[in-house]
Amino acid sequence: HLGNFGIVLGAALQDWRKRDLAAVAMSLALAGPTSEAVNGAHPLGDPTAPLVALAKHLARDGHSIAAGDVVITGSWTGVRQVSAGSNATVIVDQKAALELSVGEPTKERH
């Protein structure tokens, strides 16, 4: 029962079948009002395991995952709040893969 405010999709990883996805090094660095550094791994080890489980579950009811569907299979660094005024950097295999700056909250207009 967790929601995402957004999902960032990158380019398709063409050689993903050749990689040991359980061995991918992942870290998250948060800088701002609340600073934190987290090293992580997929909670099930293999990030394809939940995808296979979902496909099997859907197949029992005659459904499937369609081309172009986005399936989130778990957080590699756990759930983190990124507060306003913070910067987050995701590092995959020692290379910065994503940087996010969260601005100050806007005032609601009435």
Side-chain angles (χ1 to χ4, degrees), residues 75-86:
S75 172
W76 292 54
T77 57
V79 177
R80 298 286 182 272
Q81 286 280 45
V82 182
S83 39
S86 295

Side-chain angles (χ1 to χ4, degrees), residues 5-49:
F5 288 104
I7 301 169
V8 178
L9 301 176
L13 184 61
Q14 299 301 321
D15 66 344
W16 68 271
R17 287 180 179 90
K18 297 177 186 174
R19 298 187 69 185
D20 179 2
L21 297 177
V24 172
M26 180 80 64
S27 64
L28 170 67
L30 296 175
T34 306
S35 295
E36 183 177 13
V38 179
N39 292 319
H42 192 275
L44 296 178
D46 181 355
T48 62

Side-chain angles (χ1 to χ4, degrees), residues 71-95:
V71 178
I72 301 170
T73 62
S75 172
W76 292 54
T77 57
V79 177
R80 298 286 182 272
Q81 286 280 45
V82 182
S83 39
S86 295
N87 294 310
T89 304
V90 177
I91 302 165
V92 180
D93 287 335
Q94 287 113 25
K95 297 177 194 153

